[in-house]
Amino acid sequence: GQQVMQIPQYQHVQEGEDFTTYCNSSTTLSNIQWYKQRPGGHPVFLIQLVKSGEVKKQKRLTFQFGEAKKNSSLHITATQTTDVGTYFCAGRKDSGNTPLVFGKGTRLSVIA
Amino acid sequence: GAVVSQHPSWVICKSGTSVKIECRSLDFQATTMFWYRQFPKQSLMLMATSNEGSKATYEQGVEKDKFLINHASLTLSTLTVTSAHPEDSSFYICSARHTSGSYEQYFGPGTRLTVT
């Protein structure tokens, strides 16, 4: 079945350093979504990417969708302690009602 | 907008009993709701897809007779863990997808189930 791999599993950074998490799918995706889950919380939707090669920015966060629509990345510039949490990518292989398949997530720790 | 609630937020039950978890979309209609299970420090594992008015679609390896899902209305889906065992202890999270066609999924706050 469809698999979504995400690396790294953990990342510890000093406040102010950049951070990137990568997501790869075993199949071509219709769209990919990114979620953030704070410790003890539930996943919160960040963004959806649909187009091949799409790049979207949200303040210090930059999201990319690969040309082949099989990989994606989330880059955070100048991390802050508020960025702490686990970032999940989730992909859907078609535009219908199929469920999202989540990656294992990357847990980000930011040291002040 | 787009708020999803879950009840209860946590529950402790004895082995062999059944537990019902409710998932409600508070300010929108959701034809589709999803039930996930998350173990500590793990990713979300999809258990089943619930469509209003029809039978749920279960993922491979999820026992449909053990995890009963009912999606009786556009704002409510329930998950009943029957004859719970300690290994069923987990964090159960539902999400709902808006009928408007947006593919964004809104997650509930989760239910922490502990089976003793």
Side-chain angles (χ1 to χ4, degrees):
Chain A
Q2 182 187 358
Q3 290 186 328
V4 175
M5 285 77 64
Q6 198 173 345
I7 57 169
Q9 191 174 0
Y10 303 96
Q11 186 79 60
H12 306 281
V13 299
Q14 291 280 345
E15 190 173 24
E17 291 182 339
D18 293 354
F19 158 77
T20 305
T21 173
Y22 301 90
C23 188
N24 286 284
S25 169
S26 57
T27 60
T28 302
L29 300 170
S30 171
N31 59 75
I32 195 161
Q33 300 179 7
W34 285 90
Y35 292 79
K36 178 182 178 181
Q37 185 175 23
R38 293 182 182 276
H42 61 279
V44 174
F45 175 82
L46 293 178
I47 208 160
Q48 175 175 275
L49 304 172
V50 179
K51 298 178 182 177
S52 170
E54 188 171 12
V55 178
K56 286 188 177 180
K57 291 191 175 185
Q58 289 180 352
K59 297 183 180 178
R60 294 178 294 104
L61 278 61
T62 302
F63 304 85
Q64 290 189 321
F65 201 9
E67 294 289 341
K69 300 184 73 173
K70 295 180 72 172
N71 58 73
S72 181
S73 65
L74 158 59
H75 179 82
I76 302 178
T77 305
T79 56
Q80 300 175 357
T81 54
T82 53
D83 296 326
V84 165
T86 301
Y87 293 85
F88 293 99
C89 63
R92 184 176 277 120
K93 64 179 180 180
D94 58 50
S95 58
N97 202 28
T98 54
L100 289 168
V101 176
F102 278 78
K104 291 188 180 296
T106 296
R107 185 177 308 152
L108 173 64
S109 299
V110 179
I111 305 166
Chain B
V3 178
V4 176
S5 71
Q6 268 183 252
H7 178 80
S9 56
W10 60 270
V11 58
I12 301 173
C13 71
K14 291 185 177 181
S15 187
T17 61
S18 295
V19 174
K20 179 185 283 189
I21 302 170
E22 292 185 349
C23 176
R24 293 181 184 272
S25 55
L26 297 184
D27 52 1
F28 68 101
Q29 293 185 326
T31 52
T32 305
M33 290 185 174
F34 304 95
W35 286 95
Y36 293 85
R37 184 173 181 176
Q38 187 178 34
F39 291 105
K41 302 181 181 179
Q42 299 289 317
S43 186
L44 291 88
M45 299 300 296
L46 179 67
M47 298 175 67
T49 302
S50 167
N51 290 296
E52 186 263 338
S54 62
K55 291 184 178 180
T57 302
Y58 290 81
E59 294 299 298
Q60 193 173 9
V62 178
E63 299 175 57
K64 61 180 181 181
D65 294 330
K66 179 168 183 62
F67 298 99
L68 301 178
I69 292 173
N70 183 282
H71 194 157
S73 76
L74 286 172
T75 59
L76 173 64
S77 177
T78 61
L79 167 67
T80 301
V81 183
T82 63
S83 187
H85 290 107
E87 56 265 31
D88 297 325
S89 299
S90 187
F91 193 50
Y92 292 87
I93 307 176
C94 72
S95 71
R97 191 171 150 187
H98 206 294
T99 55
S100 69
S102 167
Y103 295 121
E104 180 176 337
Q105 287 183 208
Y106 302 95
F107 283 82
T111 297
R112 176 80 56 193
L113 170 63
T114 302
V115 184
T116 60

